[in-house]
Every structure is written in C-alpha cells, then in structure tokens.
Amino acid sequence: MICGEPILYKNPTTAEICTFCGEEFTCEGMCANGHKVCKGCSDNQAVNLIKSTCLNTRSKNPYEIAIGIMKNPVMRMHDVRHHILVGSALLAAYHNCGGDIKLAESLEEMEKRGKQIPPGACGYLGNCGAAVSSGAFFSIVTGTTPHSENNWSLANTLTGTCLIEMGKLTGPRCCKRDSFIALGTTIDFIADTFEIHMEKPTKLICEFSERNAECIKDKCPYYAKETV
C-alpha cells in the first residue's frame, strides 16, 4: 500500500514498527522494499478509499468504480476489503442511476456488514465474500431483514446466483475475478427485478493478471495474454 510491491509473508514472530503509524506490531509480512504496515493502518486506508471514492463518483458503472479502487496500492490483489468494495461500488452506481437510497448511510452499513465476512470464506465456508457482498447490497437497498418475505427470497437468490456463476470456473480463488462475476450478475439481477439499469463494459479485460501468482489464465473469461 506504500509502493505497490507484493507482500512477502513470514512467520509472525518478530515485533516490527509500522511504516505508517510508527506503532509496534507483530509483523506477518513486508514488501521487498522493507515497508511494514500494521493491520489497523491497512484496514483504514483501504476502507477510507472505498467510501470516499463511492461518495464522490458520478459513475453509473460499478465495474468502473471498483476497478479504479482496485488499482490503488492500498487494495491488495487478494484481500478481505473486496467484501466491502463490491457492495459499495454497487451502492454508488445504483444511487447514480436513480436508486432511492441515502448513499452515505448505506456505505456505512456496507462497511459494517462487509467486515463480518471472514477472510477465505470462499474456500473455508464455500461462500465467496464477493457474492455475500452483493447480497448485502441488495438487502441494504431493499431494507431486507430476516423477517422479510419476498425480498428475503430475492436477496438469497442473488447471492446464490453469484456463487453458481463463480462455481462454473475452477479455483484457486481470485478476488478480482470473483468480484467481476458478482458485479455483472448483480447488474443483470437489478435490471430484471427493478428495471434500474447500471452500466457495464461490453468486454472486460483484467488488468491484474500479472499481479496474481495463482491466475488461472486462459480458463478465466477476463484474462488476456497482453493486459491493458
């Protein structure tokens, strides 16, 4: 999040000084340039970027919003902040398309719910955080609760549809690929359900493949040998 270099993980046995805040913490990894960032600083930088971007954008395209945020070094290649990002980008685009929500309050709620989705949920729980983030987005804009009727069904249908689309591809996980699938599935679902038409690219080429050591390459619909 300082220089954009990949994080080199190590056993978290030594205390280090955070490059951002100067506080001592148990360090799990640093980049090749020796930058070390504690979890608190990492979380705050990424979440603040997501909220500020989504509050100030006029874009009706959640892909455009999300990818712009993904390009910032504070958003790592694979990271739990994607669980907040997907729903937040959808909230911003939905609002800009005329969706009747209070955007600032909705983004605060999305942050709260996204933080409840544990890391590695895709593999450990069989429930990708990007799909859950889409379901949270739907629940927020519709005011869905565990006691709702029709919207309860729709929220779970959306999450399930996202997971089915993700499951059509092989692993390992990719936070970028799964976010793209969740965004596209949700855009179509909202258009069919509420006739609110968020925008999406006619063709999406992933710009992050070179950063992903586990990229499935030609098996991914967004992969291109020469990224743009």
Side-chain angles (χ1 to χ4, degrees):
M1 60 184 286
I2 296 174
C3 63
E5 288 296 312
I7 294 175
L8 308 174
Y9 289 95
K10 63 185 184 64
N11 292 327
T13 56
T14 59
E16 302 283 356
I17 301 299
C18 176
T19 307
F20 257 95
C21 67
E23 295 293 323
E24 188 176 276
F25 73 108
T26 302
C27 182
E28 296 182 1
M30 65 181 72
C31 73
N33 294 322
H35 298 129
K36 302 170 283 290
V37 182
C38 69
K39 186 177 185 302
C41 286
S42 177
D43 287 352
N44 290 337
Q45 289 283 326
V47 172
N48 289 340
L49 172 67
I50 292 169
K51 288 195 293 186
S52 63
T53 302
C54 291
L55 275 173
N56 292 291
T57 184
R58 295 184 179 181
S59 176
K60 298 178 180 179
N61 185 332
Y63 281 99
E64 182 179 67
I65 299 168
I67 290 172
I69 295 170
M70 289 173 179
K71 288 180 178 180
N72 192 297
V74 303
M75 286 295 296
R76 295 186 294 183
M77 182 66 209
H78 308 297
D79 192 74
V80 291
R81 261 66 67 176
H82 290 81
H83 303 167
I84 301 171
L85 172 62
V86 170
S88 296
L90 287 163
L91 285 169
Y94 180 86
H95 174 265
N96 293 338
C97 287
D100 185 17
I101 58 170
K102 295 179 179 178
L103 183 57
E105 293 179 12
S106 297
L107 290 170
E108 291 291 336
E109 185 62 27
M110 186 64 243
E111 177 188 349
K112 184 192 306 181
R113 298 186 190 189
K115 285 181 175 178
Q116 295 179 47
I117 307 169
C122 54
Y124 294 126
L125 302 177
N127 200 16
C128 175
V132 179
S133 189
S134 290
F137 151 78
F138 185 91
S139 293
I140 290 169
V141 301
T142 57
T144 301
T145 74
H147 302 289
S148 300
E149 295 184 6
N150 188 52
N151 284 338
W152 183 95
S153 175
L154 290 171
N156 283 275
T157 297
L158 171 57
T159 302
T161 304
C162 290
L163 290 170
I164 289 170
E165 292 303 312
M166 293 173 187
K168 292 178 181 179
L169 301 177
T170 182
R173 60 86 176 92
C174 172
C175 287
K176 303 299 188 282
R177 178 191 71 219
D178 294 339
S179 294
F180 296 157
I181 292 172
L183 290 171
T185 303
T186 306
I187 290 170
D188 293 341
F189 190 87
I190 292 297
D192 291 340
T193 305
F194 299 133
E195 296 189 358
I196 292 179
H197 299 278
M198 292 180 278
E199 298 173 358
K200 62 180 178 179
T202 54
K203 180 176 176 60
L204 177 63
I205 298 176
C206 179
E207 302 177 45
F208 305 98
S209 300
E210 293 181 359
R211 288 173 50 193
N212 183 8
E214 300 168 335
C215 179
I216 61 175
K217 300 187 183 298
D218 291 330
K219 295 178 182 178
C220 175
Y222 311 112
Y223 177 74
K225 291 182 180 180
E226 295 184 4
T227 56
V228 296

